[in-house]
């Protein structure tokens, strides 16, 4: 891809690679490649007019989400590039998302981490609160995190950042970075889902 690359994600079927680049033009900041031939950009995917920082596909591949440097997350139907929903940053002055994810293979709920912490959204981008319906596994993860039941692999000076997480075979896999004695320390943890 041309320019700085910020994100790369293979489609679940393995046929395409989406690459998020540093581009502010109207044609968008996502490039699509065929995995049969990485030498040619197959198409430019419109939607973002700021650098695309993150991309994720749902487990089925029917949907994808992407986040740009201006704090916009687009929820898109992968078959036709139609925007299904949008998620805006909590604070326009801090538009960085640390993580966007479809953590479950069978569900299209979205997990987002920003400077305020973790959030869960419906498949169309509606912010969900504690009383809203959501998969039990996601609700259980939030309860465990907020009641400090999750034990991180080492003691940190503050809660460590989670850089990625997913649910597979009844367990949450999480990875991130934290500070210990003034130095960054990377970690991976496996936690039973409720």
């Amino acid at each position: 891809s041309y320019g700085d690359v910020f994100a790369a994600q293979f489609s679940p079927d393995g046929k395409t690679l989406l690459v998020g680049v540093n581009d502010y033009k109207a044609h968008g900041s996502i490039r699509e490649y065929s995995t049969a031939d990485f030498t040619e950009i197959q198409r430019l995917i419109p939607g973002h007019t700021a650098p695309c920082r993150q991309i994720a596909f749902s487990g089925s591949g029917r949907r994808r989400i992407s986040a740009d440097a201006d704090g916009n997350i687009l929820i898109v139907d992968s078959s036709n590039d139609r925007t299904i929903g949008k998620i805006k940053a909590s604070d326009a002055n801090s538009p960085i998302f640390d993580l966007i994810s479809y953590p479950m293979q069978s569900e299209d709920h979205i997990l987002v981490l920003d400077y305020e912490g973790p959030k869960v959204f419906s498949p169309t981008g509606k912010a969900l609160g504690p009383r809203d319906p959501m998969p039990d596994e996601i609700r259980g993860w939030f309860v465990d995190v907020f009641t400090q039941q999750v034990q991180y692999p080492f003691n940190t000076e503050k809660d460590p950042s989670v850089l990625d997480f997913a649910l597979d075979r009844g367990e949450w896999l999480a990875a991130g970075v934290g500070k210990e004695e003034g130095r960054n320390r990377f970690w991976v943890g496996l936690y039973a889902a409720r």
Side-chain angles (χ1 to χ4, degrees), residues 17 30 56 60 64-65 72 77 98 108 110-111 119 125 149 151-152 155 175 179:
L17 173 68
I30 300 176
S60 67
R64 70 173 183 268
I65 50 178
N72 300 299
D77 181 320
D98 295 324
D108 287 343
I110 300 163
L111 291 181
K119 297 176 178 79
Q149 299 302 308
Q151 298 296 313
Y152 295 102
N155 293 326
K179 287 238 185 241

Side-chain angles (χ1 to χ4, degrees), residues 26 40 42-43 50-51 63 82 86-87 101 119 134 136-137 139 153 169 175 181:
E40 297 261 341
Q42 297 297 306
R43 67 187 182 115
R63 294 184 179 190
R82 184 179 61 85
K86 295 181 181 180
I87 299 169
S101 173
K119 297 176 178 79
M134 68 180 74
D136 291 338
E137 297 88 347
R139 184 178 308 284
R169 298 181 198 122
E181 297 176 6

Side-chain angles (χ1 to χ4, degrees), residues 101-167:
S101 173
Y102 285 105
M104 300 175 67
Q105 291 293 313
S106 61
E107 292 280 342
D108 287 343
H109 284 76
I110 300 163
L111 291 181
V112 171
L113 287 173
D114 66 11
Y115 78 99
E116 290 182 335
K119 297 176 178 79
V120 63
F121 292 87
S122 75
T124 58
K126 176 186 177 269
L128 300 179
R131 298 186 198 284
D132 291 317
M134 68 180 74
D136 291 338
E137 297 88 347
I138 293 176
R139 184 178 308 284
W141 170 261
F142 276 91
V143 168
D144 288 348
V145 167
F146 286 116
T147 60
Q148 298 180 337
Q149 299 302 308
V150 174
Q151 298 296 313
Y152 295 102
F154 57 93
N155 293 326
T156 62
E157 295 161 10
K158 63 177 191 162
D159 286 344
S161 296
V162 176
L163 302 176
D164 201 0
F165 51 80
L167 179 68

Side-chain angles (χ1 to χ4, degrees), residues 11 27 38 42 64 71-73 93-94 96 98 103 115 153 186 189:
S11 61
H27 57 243
F38 289 107
Q42 297 297 306
R64 70 173 183 268
N72 300 299
I73 294 177
N93 294 319
S94 299
I96 303 301
D98 295 324
Y115 78 99
F186 295 91

